[in-house]
């Protein structure tokens, strides 16, 4: 066990009784640390239980297996991303600011220190149908939210608005992931601003209703 893990275990004494909701949140947090660090296949329930400072039976009381635990965590963060995109779109009626807020929502999601974006965008379990379905559904839900705004504010048919929305979401998440690992040292604010400018120059060219 690393020094950090040892400190965490000491901070969460084994056998401490927590309300069920709090215990579940604790287990999900520990699972996120392990899955992000090791990937799904290398992670073990023993590692997660140790990280959480609980026994394996306690872990299995809440989650019957590793896949169920992973899916619960994936659901949590997929919902968080969709919620962030929807709130960004609802934050203003100025379309230029909407684009900026939406791009920033993706950058903020990727920049979260817990690394949850790796479970959504870089999972090593995408061959598992339940995982693939959740990831695809998340991208689709984000695109639906974006396309609704595009369709309302332009004369584009629904199908074309959806295609543009998929493109905007793809640009946002791919560039945000590249930015996170780029050695060039561009600040998050500057990076999001650059991509927002690129996206706005494209989408602003479509005629408004």
């Amino acid at each position: 066990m690393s020094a950090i893990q040892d400190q965490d275990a000491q901070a969460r004494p084994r056998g401490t009784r927590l309300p069920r909701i709090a215990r579940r949140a604790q287990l999900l947090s520990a699972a996120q640390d392990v899955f992000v660090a090791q990937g799904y296949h290398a992670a073990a329930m023993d590692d997660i239980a140790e990280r959480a400072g609980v026994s394996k039976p306690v872990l299995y009381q809440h989650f019957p297996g590793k896949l169920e635990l992973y899916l619960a965590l994936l659901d949590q963060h997929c919902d968080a991303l969709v919620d962030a995109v929807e709130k960004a779109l609802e934050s203003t009626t100025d379309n230029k600011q909407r684009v900026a807020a939406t791009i920033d929502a993706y950058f903020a999601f990727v920049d979260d220190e817990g690394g949850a974006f790796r479970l959504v965008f870089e999972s090593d379990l995408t061959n598992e149908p339940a995982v693939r379905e959740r990831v695809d559904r998340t991208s689709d839900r984000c695109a639906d939210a974006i396309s609704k705004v595009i369709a309302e504010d332009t004369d584009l048919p629904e199908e074309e608005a959806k295609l543009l929305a998929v493109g905007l979401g793809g640009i946002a998440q791919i560039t945000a992931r590249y930015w996170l690992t780029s050695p060039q040292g561009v600040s998050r604010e500057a990076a999001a601003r650059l991509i927002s400018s690129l996206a706005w120059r494209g989408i602003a060219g479509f005629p408004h209703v």
Side-chain angles (χ1 to χ4, degrees):
M1 182 191 299
S2 68
I4 293 177
Q5 289 175 317
D6 186 53
Q7 291 172 5
D8 288 343
Q10 291 177 19
R12 297 189 292 265
R14 194 178 294 272
T16 299
R17 296 186 65 84
L18 291 175
R20 184 171 182 82
I21 293 177
R23 178 68 77 192
R24 179 182 174 87
Q26 177 200 28
L27 296 175
L28 286 171
S29 177
Q32 180 174 325
D33 291 343
V34 174
F35 284 134
V36 168
Q38 301 181 22
Y40 176 83
H41 294 293
M45 293 293 270
D46 283 325
D47 299 329
I48 295 169
E50 183 176 345
R51 178 72 177 171
V54 302
S55 64
K56 279 182 67 177
V58 169
L59 181 57
Y60 280 112
Q61 285 174 8
H62 293 263
F63 302 98
K66 187 168 73 166
L67 178 59
E68 288 78 12
L69 178 52
Y70 189 88
L71 292 176
L73 193 59
L74 186 60
D75 284 337
Q76 174 182 307
H77 292 299
C78 285
D79 288 344
L81 175 59
V82 174
D83 184 60
V85 169
E86 290 177 343
K87 285 182 177 178
L89 291 166
E90 295 167 0
S91 65
T92 177
T93 57
D94 182 288
N95 285 331
K96 185 175 182 180
Q97 293 304 315
R98 274 176 170 162
V99 170
T102 302
I103 297 294
D104 188 64
Y106 279 92
F107 271 78
F109 183 72
V110 168
D111 194 33
D112 183 80
E113 63 181 12
F117 81 95
R118 299 188 186 281
L119 305 178
V120 181
F121 297 134
E122 298 177 1
S123 174
D124 62 343
L125 196 61
T126 52
N127 61 329
E128 166 60 45
V131 171
R132 184 75 262 161
E133 188 274 333
R134 282 164 168 80
V135 172
D136 289 345
R137 186 177 65 212
T138 298
S139 296
D140 196 59
R141 289 171 65 194
C142 289
D144 280 342
I146 298 169
S147 68
K148 181 179 179 182
V149 174
I150 294 174
E152 287 174 351
D153 290 347
T154 70
D155 61 357
L156 293 174
E158 183 177 330
E159 295 79 7
E160 293 183 13
K162 180 66 173 287
L163 188 60
L164 285 174
V166 171
L168 285 173
I171 289 172
Q173 66 100 345
I174 290 172
T175 54
R177 287 164 55 200
Y178 171 79
W179 162 79
L180 190 66
T181 59
S182 173
Q184 298 176 9
V186 180
S187 71
R188 184 180 118 190
E189 292 75 15
R193 187 168 57 249
L194 280 170
I195 301 308
S196 297
S197 178
L198 172 66
W200 175 246
R201 286 171 184 268
I203 198 68
F206 291 94
H208 287 201
V209 173

